[in-house]
Amino acid sequence: MPTEVTPHPAGRGWEYAPAPESRDIVSIAPQYGLFIDGEFAPAADGAQLGTVNPATEEPLAMVARGGPADVDRAVAAARAAFEDVWGPMPGAERAKYLYRIARILLERARQFAVLETLDNGKPIRESRDVDVPLAAAHFFYYAGWADKLEYAGFGPAPRPLGVAAQVIPWNFPLLMAAWKLAPALAAGNTCVLKPAETTPLTALLLAQVCQQAELPPGVVNILTGAAETGAALVAHPAVNKIAFTGSTEVGKQIAAAAAGTGKRLTLELGGKAANIVFDDAPAEQAVEGIVSGIFFNQGQVCCAGSRLLVQESVAEEIAERLCRRLATLRLGDPMDKNTDIGAINSRQQLDKIEELAAAGQAEGAHRWSPPCELPGRGYWFAPTVFTGVSMSHRIAREEIFGPVLSVLTFRTPAEAAAKANNTPYGLSAGVWTEKGSRILWMAQQLRAGVVWANTYNRFDPASPFGGYRESGFGREGGRHGLAGYLDG
Ligand code: NDP
């Protein structure tokens, strides 16, 4: 592996014309209430917090900051809806509501995509082509299960658990809401969902979709707020199930708080995935997979392929191709349809990425980014590749959650598997090779919940997703995704 990598001298020979998506399709209210029992209302104590567009730092809206009294009210509404309406409702009837939500999501797809990009900073291309269609697909998929639960392999008469407290992060705000709500509702549970502080807006638009679909009041409640709101929600004694996606640190706190309470718990936490490229892999395809593995959503993805393990004999070739490809990525206005790399979600996250990248340099790895101009306002970080990384470096061990790739090399498949597994996490991995037998062998060796072969970051509602060890437990997606919401 070269310690020096130089960008392709040609760079981009020409420029795209601006292709901005219009934001007029969505109207953002100056303030939003909590969505409890089918209606929007301010927090009991009137507290609010602001959300900004991370690409411009422009304030977008104020949202209610739920406190303990609001948590009580939301959980009570969910409990009443569970006992009186949703729990007793036949699965075939519940399915109709889920199908309706899915269809409305598709009808309003452009609104959701624009709002997601404004609030999160991700490129419109991604919110339009990935987040929103996949969110709708989850509702469609689980709608199909609602009347077939007795055939799902959880016993002849599986029962819903009751009230689900669901806490989600800021990297895929709408999609994570769909991952949580769709299986819970299909199984007959009611939900109180707490979106992340920095990305509450699409969850609130989803609340409007629930109204539009005439979902019975209290079946879905959206409780915006900060970390304390999430902590009060998961600690509430009338909650039966906790589903959390976010950092390993907070996941551990929630696991400790839930211990001995009888609440069911699933955790989807961090990762430090290895994307492993063998010498027989089709190089162009592998480079595309490496790029989407770590630069999709600015690398703010729990299953991001943040450690590239490349076989020594092709390391130089892959590095050169990668650098050439990175020089063609377009960083900038997330609302531009040609943008590949958008903004980092928050100042706090940007600080964390900068701190870890600086640690990589201080520990002796070689840092490289393609020439790219960062906008003057907003939270931005250039795509970055570190070569000369060793397993002991912080950038090889800690989840950076940003557009930063650490490159390591290996000689044999056994060494690749050992290096890939040398992490406290176990969420995902990628293998690039033409040999089917090697794919199967590697998949057996890798301690990861998901192993992609000759592809990366591929999601489907029918396919389970989740981790081992410090990446959490439980699965979302597929038949397995129902297990966390049913008693056999
Ligand atoms: P957190 O784990 O802090 O946040 C995830 C969600 O949990 C948010 O809704 C948050 O609310 C809420 N929350 C925070 N503290 C508590 C608590 N004590 N009890 C209950 N809920 C709580 O992630 P951050 O946003 O702070 O990101 C920090 C790091 O976590 C990232 O740098 C990244 O490494 C990792 N991360 C991993 C994700 C994954 O998918 N695996 C997703 C997001 C982050 P609020 O936003 O209001 O604080």
Side-chain angles (χ1 to χ4, degrees):
M1 189 65 153
T3 50
E4 290 288 332
V5 277
T6 43
H8 186 240
R12 272 201 302 276
W14 46 278
E15 270 305 325
Y16 288 83
E21 174 64 270
S22 159
R23 62 179 282 178
D24 300 343
I25 182 107
V26 65
S27 68
I28 303 178
Q31 45 192 5
Y32 290 88
L34 307 164
F35 183 65
I36 299 178
D37 211 11
E39 287 174 4
F40 288 92
D45 62 2
Q48 289 187 317
L49 46 86
T51 181
V52 303
N53 177 345
T56 59
E57 298 175 57
E58 157 211 8
L60 291 172
M62 298 297 290
V63 303
R65 182 183 191 128
D70 306 299
V71 171
D72 269 347
R73 212 159 70 75
V75 173
R79 167 71 46 206
F82 174 69
E83 277 164 16
D84 302 340
V85 189
W86 198 249
M89 188 184 282
E93 291 304 308
R94 289 199 305 271
K96 290 180 190 168
Y97 289 100
L98 294 184
Y99 280 125
R100 215 178 279 168
I101 291 171
R103 281 197 300 270
I104 298 171
L105 266 174
L106 288 184
E107 279 161 21
R108 303 179 69 174
R110 232 178 109 210
Q111 284 180 8
F112 273 100
V114 167
L115 194 58
E116 196 74 304
T117 285
L118 291 172
D119 205 19
N120 170 281
K122 65 175 70 203
I124 186 77
R125 199 165 53 82
E126 291 181 8
S127 48
R128 183 196 62 195
D129 298 347
V130 181
D131 297 61
V132 178
L134 264 181
H138 263 81
F139 280 102
F140 277 120
Y141 176 79
Y142 280 108
W145 271 118
D147 62 348
K148 304 175 193 70
L149 298 175
E150 58 270 43
Y151 309 109
F154 305 113
R159 293 180 313 280
L161 303 176
V163 175
Q166 306 179 314
V167 179
I168 57 170
W170 43 262
N171 53 346
F172 294 92
L174 175 69
L175 185 57
M176 288 302 106
W179 278 28
K180 296 277 178 286
L181 294 173
L185 297 178
N189 303 272
T190 55
C191 303
V192 182
L193 177 92
K194 152 64 181 87
E197 179 176 349
T198 57
T199 53
L201 296 185
T202 45
L204 292 166
L205 189 57
L206 187 59
Q208 291 175 23
V209 168
C210 292
Q211 286 180 322
Q212 196 181 338
E214 295 177 0
L215 191 69
V219 173
V220 168
N221 305 274
I222 308 281
L223 211 55
T224 51
E228 310 80 66
T229 317
L233 174 60
V234 298
H236 197 285
V239 156
N240 305 100
K241 152 83 188 181
I242 302 169
F244 172 79
T245 298
S247 62
T248 296
E249 187 192 343
V250 173
K252 284 179 181 173
Q253 289 170 23
I254 290 176
T261 63
K263 293 174 189 168
R264 291 269 290 271
L265 176 65
T266 42
L267 298 174
E268 203 270 88
L269 309 174
K272 191 74 191 174
N275 204 358
I276 305 165
V277 179
F278 285 94
D279 57 5
D280 63 340
E284 282 300 317
Q285 235 174 293
V287 166
E288 286 309 307
I290 295 164
V291 170
S292 81
I294 183 63
F295 300 115
F296 170 63
N297 202 23
Q298 295 69 247
Q300 301 167 130
V301 185
C302 48
C303 52
S306 53
R307 288 183 299 151
L308 172 62
L309 299 186
V310 58
Q311 198 152 17
E312 210 170 76
S313 52
V314 290
E316 203 159 324
E317 180 199 347
I318 294 288
E320 274 166 21
R321 284 177 186 264
L322 182 61
C323 292
R324 269 207 301 277
R325 178 66 178 92
L326 292 191
T328 69
L329 291 181
R330 299 169 54 82
L331 176 146
D333 181 6
M335 289 288 278
D336 191 305
K337 292 171 202 154
N338 293 320
T339 291
D340 299 303
I341 309 273
I344 301 301
N345 180 248
S346 65
R347 159 67 55 197
Q348 191 192 12
Q349 185 60 22
L350 179 59
D351 289 346
K352 185 182 160 200
I353 299 168
E354 284 173 344
E355 194 250 317
L356 276 162
Q361 265 179 299
E363 288 182 322
H366 179 260
R367 178 175 180 167
W368 180 84
S369 291
C372 73
E373 213 173 296
L374 301 184
R377 295 201 65 193
Y379 315 130
W380 301 94
F381 197 86
T384 298
V385 178
F386 277 99
T387 51
V389 179
S390 79
M391 288 301 299
S392 60
H393 287 166
R394 281 183 69 195
I395 53 171
R397 308 201 65 75
E398 294 180 31
E399 184 178 44
I400 300 177
F401 226 64
V404 181
L405 179 67
S406 299
V407 185
L408 300 105
T409 57
F410 66 90
R411 288 188 180 166
T412 63
E415 186 188 353
K419 281 187 166 165
N421 289 336
N422 186 351
T423 167
Y425 296 108
L427 191 56
S428 58
V431 179
W432 297 83
T433 173
E434 293 228 304
K435 263 194 175 170
S437 57
R438 188 180 280 161
I439 290 172
L440 294 175
W441 187 83
M442 285 299 291
Q444 275 180 339
Q445 304 301 309
L446 293 170
R447 297 205 296 183
V450 180
V451 179
W452 284 293
N454 294 327
T455 186
Y456 207 89
N457 273 344
R458 186 166 287 256
F459 296 98
D460 189 286
S463 173
F465 181 87
Y468 290 102
R469 306 161 81 205
E470 297 217 352
S471 293
F473 49 81
R475 294 291 178 268
E476 293 185 299
R479 186 192 69 83
H480 304 68
L482 293 166
Y485 292 101
L486 286 171
D487 252 340

